């Protein structure tokens, strides 16, 4: 009987601890919140006009869910190759960058590239060249 009480006590403690830790972890923002946060970040670092922020936000609120839908289709097809997921991400990020280039002024575009986008573009180009070389 004492053994049952001890096991029950340990299980109850573990359940309470797991519930407490789950409550303390902040929720991940959904794709729309991520889009808003990224638009706000770009507005701050690039000094975007309100209309530019609106277009950035609209672009991201369209493209992020579309990218996630592509991921979901791959997951539903049981694709486990990480490079395929990366190629989907690259496709959508190229689209986003292409749209940004039409929205931003030349100075803003250069600042965007300096903020790390140029490095990302080079990495995408390298992955694309590597993938085409395998074919």
């Amino acid at each position: 009987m004492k053994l049952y009480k001890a096991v029950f006590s340990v299980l109850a403690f573990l359940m309470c601890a797991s519930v407490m830790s789950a409550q303390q972890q902040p929720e991940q923002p959904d794709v729309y919140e991520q889009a808003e946060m990224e638009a706000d970040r770009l507005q701050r670092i690039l000094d975007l006009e309100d209309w530019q922020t609106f277009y950035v936000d609209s672009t991201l609120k369209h493209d992020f869910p579309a990218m996630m839908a592509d991921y979901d289709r791959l997951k539903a097809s049981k694709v486990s190759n990480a490079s395929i997921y990366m190629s989907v991400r690259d496709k959508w990020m190229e689209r986003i960058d292409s749209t940004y280039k039409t929205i931003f002024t030349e100075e803003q575009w250069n600042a965007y590239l300096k903020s790390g986008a140029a490095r990302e573009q080079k990495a995408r180009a390298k992955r694309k060249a590597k993938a085409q070389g395998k074919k």
Side-chain angles (χ1 to χ4, degrees), residues 61-119:
K61 284 184 177 177
H62 171 267
D63 289 357
F64 279 2
M67 181 172 57
M68 297 307 291
D70 283 354
Y71 285 160
D72 290 342
R73 281 191 285 278
L74 290 174
K75 201 174 356 175
S77 299
K78 301 194 187 301
V79 173
S80 61
N81 187 340
S83 64
I84 295 174
Y85 286 90
M86 188 60 76
S87 68
V88 168
R89 181 184 181 282
D90 288 348
K91 174 187 85 169
W92 284 104
M93 294 312 292
E94 284 177 21
R95 273 186 149 170
I96 290 169
D97 280 352
S98 174
T99 303
Y100 283 174
K101 194 166 186 173
T102 64
I103 297 170
F104 298 161
T105 64
E106 187 174 338
E107 295 82 22
Q108 290 168 333
W109 177 250
N110 291 332
Y112 173 69
L113 292 175
K114 287 180 185 175
S115 73
R119 184 175 44 247

Side-chain angles (χ1 to χ4, degrees), residues 18-73:
S18 68
V19 167
M20 294 287 280
S21 70
Q23 289 176 348
Q24 292 175 354
Q25 294 177 355
E27 289 185 30
Q28 287 284 4
D30 68 2
V31 290
Y32 294 107
E33 290 170 338
Q34 289 175 348
E36 289 174 6
M37 291 184 325
E38 179 64 8
D40 290 343
R41 183 187 77 84
L42 290 174
Q43 182 180 32
R44 278 191 315 276
I45 67 170
L46 302 177
D47 195 29
L48 299 179
E49 300 285 335
D50 290 340
W51 68 268
Q52 291 173 308
T53 305
F54 171 78
Y55 281 120
V56 167
D57 185 65
S58 297
T59 298
L60 295 177
K61 284 184 177 177
H62 171 267
D63 289 357
F64 279 2
M67 181 172 57
M68 297 307 291
D70 283 354
Y71 285 160
D72 290 342
R73 281 191 285 278

Side-chain angles (χ1 to χ4, degrees), residues 114-133:
K114 287 180 185 175
S115 73
R119 184 175 44 247
E120 291 295 322
Q121 288 177 351
K122 287 179 186 176
R124 285 196 305 262
K126 187 176 179 180
R127 284 191 294 271
K128 188 175 183 178
K130 184 178 177 182
Q132 289 175 345

